Amino acid sequence: MSQVKISTADNRTLLGFWIYLMTDCVLFGSLFATYAVLHQNTFGGPSGQDLFELPYVLVETLLLLTSSFTAGVAILAAKAGRKKQVIGWLVATLLLGLSFLVMEIVEFQEILSSGYSWETSGFLSSFFTLVATHGAHITIGLIWIGVMVWRVWKLGITQGNLRRLMIFSLFWHFLDVVWIFIFTIVYLMGVIGI
Amino acid sequence: MINRRALTQYIVGFVGSVLLTLVAFYIVSSGILTGWTAVFYIIGLATVQCMIQLFFFLHISEDGRPRWKLHSFLFMLFALAIVVAGSLWVMASLNDRMMPTTQEMQEYMHRQSLNGL
Amino acid sequence: MDSIKHFIFGDFNLVDAIPKEMVTLGGAIGITLGLLSILGLVTYFKKWGYLWKNWFTTIDHKKIGVMYIIVAVVMLLRGFADVIMMRLQQATSVGSSQGLFTADTFQQVFSAHGTIMIFFVAMGLMFGLINIVVPLQIGARDVAFPAVNAISFWLFAAGMVLINTSMLLGEFSAAGWLAYPPLSGIEFSPGVGVDYWIWALQVAGIGTTLSGVNFLVTIMKMRAPGMKLMKMPIFTWSVLITMVMVISVFPILTGTLGMLSLDRLMGMHFFTAGGGGNMMMYVNLIWAWGHPEVYILVLPAFGALSDIVATYSRKKLFGYPSMVWALAAIAFFSMIVWLHHFFTMGAGSEVNAFFGITTMIIAIPTGVKIFNWLFTMARGRVRFDSPMVWFIGFVFLFTVGGMTGVMLAVPALDYQVHNSLFLVAHFHNTIIAGVVFGLFAGVTYWFPKVFGFTLHEGLGKAAAWLWFIGFAFAFGPLYVLGLMGATRRLDHYAESTGWQPLFLVAGFGAALIGVGIVCQLLQVVISIKNRKKNLDKTGDPWNGRTLEWAVPSPAPFYNFPAIPNVTSRDAFWQAKQTKTPLWRDSDIVDIHMPKNTSIGVVIAGLAFVVGFAIVWHIVWLAVVGLVAIIVSVIVRATNDDTSYTITREELLAMEKEHKQRYTA
């Protein structure tokens, strides 16, 4: 199958989406800053040291990291015009992302079932908001993968689909970069207790 | 054909990221480093991993001229640094000058009395 | 039964939602009647199809710009109604007289005034002008993402509708224009006012962020060949720098409002007094957005004035590179001064000193700009048309605003006048004289490019002078009052203070400004009536210097038949001097233009529904609305059929038609 090229207009769209991602970084930045300010305000509730289970979060992290890798390979397959491979790698990304999301929801559920919630303290408010904002982005990403699988299945790897896949991969890799900092600043530093 | 060179990039990025994550995890869970030393190292590891993903996954260096992608990223980092560092500085100063709790006050008075004041 | 009702309507209850205060009720009835009569007229004249096809679904940047300005003007009248109420209250509510309004109504009035003037007047005028001018100035046919541009505008409109709905159904926020917690928290503001405020700003703010991305990419990627960065018109430069600031700070607003909303809706503790919240973080974050925001408003006004001064002085702009660097320096410093809005909150002296000094430094690049404008005028053959009258008013009043700003930047002095009317006078000096005068000058200047005829000169000058003099009367007394100790947001004061005469003078000034606004409305009406006399037949009514004047007025929907070749800064001026055309007929080829789309109206309508549902806690409606937004985005994003082709022959025919219209 022949290779598909993208146009000047497509490059413009990619740059536009990149700049949107920069704005998203600033949004996460303000949530991180708030978390940093409030994270010691446990108000008699549990602290990060009491709540976080690092091995569990490590598995989440590795799932998301792997999904970032599979998304990248899907793009390479798309550039090479391999329709079936694209769908395969996209489905893998979807499953990995979904497992990540499920694990996150289970983690939240456990905190809630032990009697604490976002209403408990400033620390938990900022924790839930920061992590759930990332989770909401992941959810949007999963819907996006679903749509792309359907489109590639139906129409093959057209120029339009390649552009959309490339934009999606930017989004997905970006979410992984944000997670590195959630993993480090929220979970690892939470367990250290600083 | 899938571009071999590009695939190698992704694999290097992936393996590197996994290793860095595991090292950071090990530092904290084993407790070989504690306190701010540990924080210093894990933030460093996170930064390196972030750079690896920027180059190998997000291809920040592969950009037409002028390199708007890179420039916009650097500018965003700069703006973020101002807002986050500035907020922390301001909030720390405000917290610092809040009225101390009774216990803190008594500890302070005790220390001062030891100094003969 | 009650639980079903609560499920369907949430907390919404029509009887309770209708305002009870006579003033508010009167306003609400007035707005409703006005709206109904407009809807009736449109239906009577069968204009719905025309409006839908030519305006609601348009992606033409010029029409979107016009719609921004229409919304802004309507909101200016709305915000000015609040001015009248505030001036009446403060002039009469002294000693034993309680004035016309209760304290609660008065709080809603000043909150509405600030919110509406900043978010829906200044921002609307600014984005209107940017939309109209930027693609024309850089030689492009449209913005980078035309459909996103439509979405941005309609989100802005949806925010406007939402904030005004709060007056009809519920109440306006009474927490000031920036809604500091804990006052804006659920404990002290249990009503729906603050929720309306949050979601109106949230919807409009997301539209602004999208616009920021859009215009940034437009200017980065779509300049005509040869237009290097340092050859861009200065207005475009100001927009480029403004958009960089928009994308750097508007997400902070989104995040901060989101957190405040979570405090109110889900019982979180970000900014609450108890529960481990920290309300000072709200003040910190909102100003980390808010201070750059006022520079976001003023920089495009600077840019517009730069182009205007050069054109009316018939000289090239003095010190172009220093103008660009001054813009960049102002933008940079504006991002590290936010703490000067809360010097008195209790940070250490080193923190206050840092932010005080950075604030004072901004005066330097701003001074550079003022001097460059004056040097541009020096030895020029200056024509004092109405845009230049606005400019003169701007130079005098904005300089006063800048100097009082430097005074306020001294923390020790700020402790004295913080939250006083001195501060109120200062920021009106910068925002009215800076932003509003600049943008009015810009609207007058670029009006013929969109409509094909110029505005009535006499009424324009009268309006500018009335605003200028009225401003001095309205805000001069406030400086004095502030130094005498009058605080802002004052609904009542003792007779022994002796303040009443000064408040009466301020009221007189506001009335003069009101006459100025009437002049502007008359100006538009009379200009439309006499448009045959004021037709702009050349496309270049002011002997302009930049590319927008190279196309006929009104500019055709495709802007340029062929993309112009740019070799120098004032590209059109150069072309006129050397008599070389910017493009030849042989350069004209087939072009692609974006198709009209209803996506903007659809998404903004849904955003309004979601906002309304959250305000009244109607869970199912919010969920349905969100899902519908996601579905519409998917439908739009998977549509490959978004543009159509205009052939070379069609373009040539249309160009010929324009030329014939001019000679006729």
Side-chain angles (χ1 to χ4, degrees):
Chain A
M1 210 182 269
S2 66
Q3 297 211 340
V4 188
K5 286 266 183 291
I6 57 168
S7 67
T8 326
D10 291 342
N11 272 324
R12 200 185 291 154
T13 313
L14 280 165
L15 179 64
F17 193 79
W18 176 263
I19 289 173
Y20 154 73
L21 288 181
M22 298 301 103
T23 69
D24 231 9
C25 275
V26 179
L27 175 68
F28 275 109
S30 58
L31 295 178
F32 269 113
T34 312
Y35 176 82
V37 168
L38 297 179
H39 77 284
Q40 280 172 332
N41 301 3
T42 50
F43 203 64
S47 69
Q49 263 170 326
D50 305 328
L51 287 177
F52 302 148
E53 289 171 45
L54 274 194
Y56 187 86
V57 186
L58 179 70
V59 175
E60 275 185 83
T61 308
L62 293 177
L63 280 175
L64 194 64
L65 187 54
T66 315
S67 82
S68 194
F69 173 70
T70 53
V73 181
I75 303 307
L76 292 184
K79 281 182 179 162
R82 304 274 174 110
K83 178 174 161 181
K84 276 187 189 147
Q85 285 193 15
V86 174
I87 293 176
W89 288 111
L90 282 181
V91 170
T93 313
L94 181 71
L95 293 177
L96 288 163
L98 200 60
S99 334
F100 168 85
L101 195 64
V102 169
M103 283 188 80
E104 191 172 295
I105 293 170
V106 169
E107 187 201 4
F108 283 3
Q109 194 56 49
E110 265 172 25
I111 298 179
L112 293 178
S113 63
S114 56
Y116 305 113
S117 76
W118 47 82
E119 295 187 40
T120 307
S121 65
F123 158 64
L124 279 177
S125 299
S126 57
F127 164 77
F128 273 106
T129 304
L130 174 56
V131 179
T133 304
H134 180 266
H137 279 73
I138 292 283
T139 312
I140 300 284
L142 293 179
I143 297 173
W144 198 340
I145 306 179
V147 173
M148 284 320 296
V149 169
W150 168 70
R151 270 188 69 93
V152 173
W153 184 275
K154 221 179 99 190
L155 303 168
I157 302 161
T158 58
Q159 185 193 333
N161 276 354
L162 179 60
R163 181 189 71 231
R164 292 181 179 94
L165 281 171
M166 288 173 75
I167 296 174
F168 162 74
S169 78
L170 284 181
F171 186 63
W172 201 254
H173 294 319
F174 159 76
L175 289 181
D176 196 34
V177 174
V178 174
W179 183 261
I180 297 172
F181 289 98
I182 295 185
F183 178 62
T184 306
I185 293 176
V186 176
Y187 289 102
L188 291 181
M189 281 170 66
V191 168
I192 292 171
I194 279 180
Chain B
M1 273 304 287
I2 287 187
N3 185 332
R4 288 278 155 203
R5 205 175 136 261
L7 186 63
T8 320
Q9 274 195 355
Y10 275 104
I11 293 174
V12 170
F14 177 58
V15 173
S17 297
V18 170
L19 285 178
L20 289 164
T21 307
L22 289 175
V23 172
F25 172 77
Y26 177 75
I27 288 179
V28 177
S29 62
S30 69
I32 50 167
L33 296 174
T34 51
W36 283 106
T37 331
V39 171
F40 178 78
Y41 277 98
I42 59 174
I43 293 278
L45 289 168
T47 312
V48 174
Q49 190 182 161
C50 173
M51 305 245 297
I52 285 184
Q53 297 207 6
L54 279 172
F55 281 99
F56 293 135
F57 288 0
L58 283 157
H59 309 295
I60 196 165
S61 56
E62 295 164 29
D63 193 3
R65 296 215 172 244
R67 301 165 88 155
W68 290 121
K69 214 168 148 183
L70 184 64
H71 292 320
S72 56
F73 178 76
L74 290 176
F75 186 83
M76 183 279 300
L77 271 192
F78 168 74
L80 207 56
I82 289 177
V83 172
V84 174
S87 295
L88 293 181
W89 185 41
V90 169
M91 296 311 292
S93 174
L94 288 167
N95 280 342
D96 203 35
R97 291 160 56 87
M98 287 293 270
M99 195 165 85
T101 60
T102 320
Q103 197 193 345
E104 282 167 342
M105 193 92 89
Q106 273 162 357
E107 279 168 14
Y108 177 76
M109 285 159 70
H110 179 67
R111 275 203 311 278
Q112 294 294 73
S113 68
L114 289 181
N115 293 339
L117 290 166
Chain C
M1 192 58 210
D2 259 10
S3 67
I4 296 176
K5 202 175 148 201
H6 190 265
F7 176 77
I8 298 176
F9 295 111
D11 293 344
F12 183 70
N13 178 334
L14 191 59
V15 180
D16 293 343
I18 288 174
K20 300 290 174 292
E21 290 252 359
M22 281 318 286
V23 193
T24 333
L25 187 62
I29 291 174
I31 291 180
T32 317
L33 287 180
L35 209 62
L36 284 178
S37 56
I38 291 173
L39 296 184
L41 282 175
V42 173
T43 315
Y44 181 77
F45 289 108
K46 299 201 172 74
K47 288 290 183 194
W48 283 113
Y50 164 81
L51 277 180
W52 179 260
K53 253 180 82 182
N54 286 293
W55 292 91
F56 290 4
T57 59
T58 189
I59 37 73
D60 183 338
H61 65 94
K62 300 175 287 294
K63 286 184 177 172
I64 290 176
V66 170
M67 291 193 288
Y68 264 113
I69 292 178
I70 291 173
V71 171
V73 169
V74 174
M75 284 299 102
L76 175 71
L77 300 178
R78 162 84 167 83
F80 196 77
D82 296 327
V83 172
I84 297 172
M85 289 191 262
M86 283 189 288
R87 284 285 136 260
L88 282 176
Q89 174 79 2
Q90 292 190 325
T92 55
S93 175
V94 51
S96 56
S97 158
Q98 291 302 315
L100 303 165
F101 310 108
T102 60
D104 187 58
T105 309
F106 187 72
Q107 283 159 11
Q108 294 188 31
V109 169
F110 68 65
S111 304
H113 172 74
T115 308
I116 284 176
M117 286 299 196
I118 293 285
F119 289 96
F120 298 103
V121 178
M123 291 296 274
L125 282 176
M126 175 191 118
F127 271 112
L129 216 53
I130 289 175
N131 260 289
I132 290 171
V133 179
V134 166
L136 283 165
Q137 269 199 339
I138 62 174
R141 294 215 168 86
D142 208 326
V143 295
F145 312 110
V148 176
N149 198 23
I151 294 173
S152 291
F153 165 72
W154 286 104
L155 286 176
F156 167 78
M160 181 276 286
V161 175
L162 198 55
I163 200 101
N164 284 297
T165 308
S166 73
M167 211 173 97
L168 307 182
L169 300 170
E171 56 177 7
F172 206 96
S173 161
W177 82 281
L178 279 185
Y180 282 6
L183 175 59
S184 61
I186 196 75
E187 197 183 346
F188 301 105
S189 297
V192 290
V194 178
D195 294 308
Y196 267 117
W197 179 87
I198 290 173
W199 289 96
L201 264 52
Q202 199 69 296
V203 169
I206 290 169
T208 306
T209 309
L210 291 176
S211 284
V213 174
N214 207 342
F215 280 95
L216 199 55
V217 177
T218 305
I219 298 175
M220 282 171 171
K221 286 280 191 184
M222 293 176 72
R223 277 168 287 132
M227 189 183 276
K228 300 249 167 20
L229 283 176
M230 286 310 263
K231 284 181 183 167
M232 294 197 304
I234 205 83
F235 179 71
T236 303
W237 252 117
S238 73
V239 174
L240 175 65
I241 290 173
T242 306
M243 293 305 135
V244 170
M245 292 170 75
V246 165
I247 64 157
S248 312
V249 300
F250 261 79
I252 305 177
L253 175 72
T254 308
T256 312
L257 291 177
M259 288 187 271
L260 180 64
S261 186
L262 288 171
D263 272 2
R264 292 179 58 85
L265 294 172
M266 297 181 66
M268 289 201 185
H269 293 290
F270 283 108
F271 312 124
T272 53
N278 189 340
M279 63 202 77
M280 294 189 289
M281 187 60 183
Y282 179 90
V283 180
N284 173 68
L285 282 177
I286 203 81
W287 283 116
W289 158 80
H291 193 86
E293 160 70 4
V294 297
Y295 282 84
I296 286 168
L297 294 174
V298 86
L299 289 190
F302 286 174
L305 287 173
S306 302
D307 277 356
I308 287 169
V309 170
T311 302
Y312 285 98
S313 305
R314 289 175 243 193
K315 274 175 68 190
K316 70 175 204 263
L317 188 69
F318 183 88
Y320 174 97
S322 64
M323 284 303 234
V324 172
W325 282 109
L327 283 170
I330 293 173
F332 167 72
F333 282 108
S334 78
M335 292 181 72
I336 48 171
V337 299
W338 75 88
L339 183 123
H340 70 214
H341 295 271
F342 47 97
F343 276 144
T344 57
M345 206 158 77
S349 55
E350 78 284 9
V351 179
N352 278 0
F354 174 83
F355 284 95
I357 290 168
T358 50
T359 307
M360 292 174 213
I361 291 176
I362 294 195
I364 298 171
T366 315
V368 168
K369 296 193 78 71
I370 303 257
F371 282 117
N372 278 347
W373 286 317
L374 298 182
F375 283 131
T376 307
M377 288 169 72
R379 298 178 185 217
R381 281 166 294 152
V382 185
R383 278 171 306 180
F384 281 99
D385 288 357
S386 52
M388 284 307 275
V389 181
W390 287 113
F391 172 74
I392 298 298
F394 160 85
V395 168
F396 276 98
L397 297 175
F398 187 77
T399 307
V400 173
M403 289 192 293
T404 51
V406 175
M407 290 167 72
L408 284 163
V410 181
L413 195 139
D414 185 74
Y415 264 83
Q416 201 56 40
V417 288
H418 180 80
N419 256 358
S420 74
L421 287 174
F422 188 89
L423 167 80
V424 173
H426 155 71
F427 69 68
H428 282 88
N429 251 123
T430 53
I431 293 180
I432 292 186
V435 180
V436 178
F437 282 20
L439 295 177
F440 280 161
V443 169
T444 317
Y445 178 64
W446 280 298
F447 187 88
K449 193 40 69 190
V450 188
F451 292 100
F453 56 92
T454 55
L455 282 170
H456 189 279
E457 219 6 72
L459 281 166
K461 276 185 186 162
W465 282 112
L466 280 163
W467 272 84
F468 185 6
I469 298 165
F471 186 93
F473 276 110
F475 292 96
L478 296 198
Y479 281 115
V480 183
L481 282 164
L483 290 176
M484 289 161 81
T487 57
R488 69 196 293 198
R489 298 167 177 170
L490 193 67
D491 67 289
H492 185 77
Y493 50 92
E495 204 158 3
S496 57
T497 53
W499 294 340
Q500 197 178 20
L502 286 166
F503 275 119
L504 286 170
V505 175
F508 169 71
L512 281 185
I513 295 178
V515 180
I517 294 177
V518 172
C519 281
Q520 286 175 294
L521 295 177
L522 273 180
Q523 182 193 23
V524 173
V525 173
I526 289 178
S527 306
I528 292 176
K529 241 181 119 190
N530 298 345
R531 62 185 177 280
K532 294 262 156 55
K533 263 196 284 180
N534 300 326
L535 276 188
D536 167 23
K537 292 186 176 175
T538 57
D540 180 22
W542 323 118
N543 199 3
R545 313 180 70 84
T546 40
L547 283 179
E548 71 269 31
W549 306 110
V551 299
S553 300
F557 65 93
Y558 51 83
N559 289 359
F560 298 90
I563 299 300
N565 248 318
V566 175
T567 49
S568 70
R569 245 170 229 163
D570 292 328
F572 182 51
W573 183 261
Q574 179 81 8
K576 282 192 286 190
Q577 297 301 315
T578 57
K579 298 204 163 43
T580 41
L582 286 157
W583 64 84
R584 292 188 168 76
D585 279 359
S586 57
D587 297 338
I588 298 176
V589 291
D590 294 0
I591 58 172
H592 298 283
M593 292 298 291
K595 279 184 185 168
N596 281 6
T597 168
S598 57
I599 189 71
V601 184
V602 170
I603 287 190
L606 291 168
F608 172 81
V609 170
V610 172
F612 188 81
I614 297 177
V615 168
W616 292 101
H617 300 197
I618 312 172
V619 179
W620 69 269
L621 189 59
V623 173
V624 169
L626 267 180
V627 171
I629 289 178
I630 293 173
V631 171
S632 358
V633 170
I634 292 174
V635 169
R636 169 72 199 180
T638 51
N639 184 359
D640 279 320
D641 179 30
T642 54
S643 68
Y644 66 102
T645 309
I646 306 174
T647 61
R648 177 183 145 82
E649 285 68 36
E650 286 169 320
L651 272 175
L652 284 170
M654 282 188 277
E655 282 293 297
K656 207 169 146 194
E657 205 178 299
H658 289 305
K659 276 188 193 123
Q660 277 168 352
R661 210 183 54 225
Y662 277 171
T663 45

